[in-house]
Amino acid sequence: MGLYGFLILASVLVTVALACSDGQCRLLDGCGKDEDCEAGLHCSACLPLAEGSRCVRSVATDLFKMMNDSLPFNKYAFLMTHNAFAIEGGIKLTFSNQEDSVADQLNNGVRGFMLDTYEFDGSLWLCHAPGGKCDATNKFRPLIDTLKDFEAFLSTNPAEIVTLILEDYVKTANALPKVFSDAGLMKYWFPVANMPKNGDDWPSFRDMLLKNQRLLVFTSKQYKEAAEGIAYQWNYMVENMYGNGGMDEGKCFNRGESSPLNDMTKKLVLVNFFRSVPFKQISCGDNTGALINMLRTCYGAAGNRWANFVAVDFYKKSGGGGAFQAVDTLNGKLLCGCDDIHACMCGATSGACTAV
């Protein structure tokens, strides 16, 4: 095919792809810009170039518009972003893992955030420092600025709960509690003393709202639970292997710090599904069927328990429903035994499902 023929074909493909516009384009319809897509979708080039951009999901299901909030916290599932702070843009000698801000992630329905906390230049920073040393080449944002985003969201959304998992490199005693206090977040803090032990359920989602205990914070440093009142993650949660080691089809095993996935004394289950080296376009494929297949594999490995959190890179990248659909699948399984939360019949018992 000559250049002229290629241009004609490309023109036809674009014409077909852009048959809708002005907010009328549905899931997987071709699009030219975000405004072409229906609410809850955005225009994303994820498929091969010849297929152009498509409308894909960009917002999580508003779970509690569909289901009640009376069950224990561990009976629900939430989307989590890996290295939520490592946003594209600027010149960094390190990797980026997400494409929009923490504030945007909150508005799009993300409720779990993995943050790497470091000390740098006299204050606390969010850094992506594979060597364990934060410096000017890999720092992203002062921690307090991102914490203020969480405070702004929680203050204006009283029916929401946010979970933070800190990969914690802060050595100065009580520096983390102080910055949370300075950001105005301690009024939402879920106290360690109230966290369940020995396999007991968490309080109900509703009870956590009523008590305004709407911020769960976990640290990777065990001593800080007693010393600073920050919950040690693996006292309460099991987690599969991260990076490429956690993406082998048909395999799901715990990371080294976590107890075995089938440890029933830990009621929260976290499934990681992201590559050791992030790449946005590869995430298009990762955040689709392969992700849901891994959730099913980890269900068996975790003693027939569905995940409460699923952590991904580039959470909006997919060939359709992506990570949002994965969370809909988890909540469908957790709440009514269906393959999608939208299939759960209102008030029905497990297994009563409708077509989606």
Side-chain angles (χ1 to χ4, degrees), residues 15-338:
T15 300
V16 171
L18 300 182
C20 56
S21 61
D22 298 326
Q24 302 300 310
C25 298
R26 299 182 177 183
L27 186 68
L28 294 182
D29 281 348
C31 56
K33 58 187 183 299
D34 288 347
E35 291 75 16
D36 292 336
C37 302
E38 289 182 333
L41 306 178
H42 75 126
C43 190
S44 178
C46 194
L47 301 172
L49 180 62
E51 304 224 17
S53 298
R54 294 286 185 269
C55 291
V56 298
R57 283 185 64 178
S58 61
V59 178
T61 297
D62 191 340
L63 176 62
F64 297 111
K65 282 189 175 180
M66 304 176 60
M67 308 295 290
N68 68 57
D69 59 4
S70 64
L71 296 178
F73 180 75
N74 54 282
K75 299 297 184 182
Y76 303 100
F78 306 95
L79 180 58
M80 178 171 283
T81 43
H82 170 237
N83 288 339
F85 61 92
I87 309 303
E88 292 180 319
I91 300 174
K92 301 280 191 303
L93 298 180
T94 189
F95 299 117
S96 297
N97 299 83
Q98 306 298 336
E99 55 190 309
D100 57 8
S101 69
V102 164
D104 286 339
Q105 293 171 38
L106 285 162
N107 290 332
N108 290 334
V110 178
R111 294 295 177 264
F113 300 82
M114 293 179 168
L115 307 175
D116 293 3
T117 56
Y118 287 81
E119 295 174 272
F120 175 71
D121 201 22
S123 60
L124 302 190
W125 280 77
L126 296 170
C127 306
H128 193 190
K133 180 177 175 53
C134 180
D135 59 36
T137 70
N138 57 43
K139 65 183 178 66
F140 279 84
R141 200 181 188 205
L143 175 58
I144 193 167
D145 292 349
T146 294
L147 295 185
K148 286 180 177 178
D149 288 339
F150 292 123
E151 197 285 327
F153 178 80
L154 289 169
S155 67
T156 56
N157 293 274
E160 299 290 354
I161 295 173
V162 170
T163 301
L164 309 182
I165 294 180
L166 309 182
E167 186 173 319
D168 187 353
Y169 297 93
V170 176
K171 296 180 180 179
T172 299
N174 294 304
L176 278 171
K178 182 180 186 304
V179 74
F180 275 90
S181 179
D182 290 346
L185 284 170
M186 296 310 293
K187 58 183 173 288
Y188 306 115
W189 191 275
F190 192 102
V192 168
N194 292 1
M195 291 188 176
K197 304 288 196 301
N198 301 318
D200 292 336
D201 278 329
W202 282 69
S204 72
F205 196 95
R206 181 182 303 168
D207 185 61
M208 293 168 69
L209 298 182
L210 291 173
K211 292 181 178 178
N212 206 31
Q213 296 174 344
R214 300 188 289 121
L215 179 67
L216 278 66
V217 184
F218 298 95
T219 176
S220 59
K221 291 291 185 284
Q222 186 171 13
Y223 76 91
K224 288 192 176 183
E225 179 160 326
E228 300 184 12
I230 309 174
Y232 179 55
Q233 178 185 351
W234 294 290
N235 282 343
Y236 307 95
M237 183 183 301
V238 293
E239 177 181 357
N240 76 317
M241 187 59 186
Y242 55 88
N244 290 358
M247 300 185 74
D248 286 346
E249 184 177 357
K251 299 178 182 179
C252 184
F253 54 93
N254 60 285
R255 65 180 290 171
E257 300 91 335
S258 170
S259 59
L261 297 178
N262 61 359
D263 179 355
M264 299 298 180
T265 68
K266 317 296 191 297
K267 293 302 275 192
L268 297 175
V269 178
L270 165 62
V271 170
N272 297 303
F273 199 72
F274 50 82
R275 294 177 184 267
S276 300
V277 177
F279 183 66
K280 188 193 294 187
Q281 289 304 320
I282 292 179
S283 293
C284 289
D286 291 342
N287 294 342
T288 52
L291 172 57
I292 293 179
N293 287 341
M294 182 57 70
L295 293 174
R296 295 180 187 277
T297 299
C298 290
Y299 165 78
N304 295 338
R305 293 185 296 169
W306 294 103
N308 302 106
F309 299 101
V310 54
V312 299
D313 284 337
F314 298 107
Y315 73 104
K316 291 197 298 184
K317 277 295 179 186
S318 76
F324 300 109
Q325 181 57 53
V327 175
D328 283 353
T329 296
L330 287 172
N331 277 313
K333 293 295 189 182
L334 282 162
L335 297 170
C336 67
C338 300

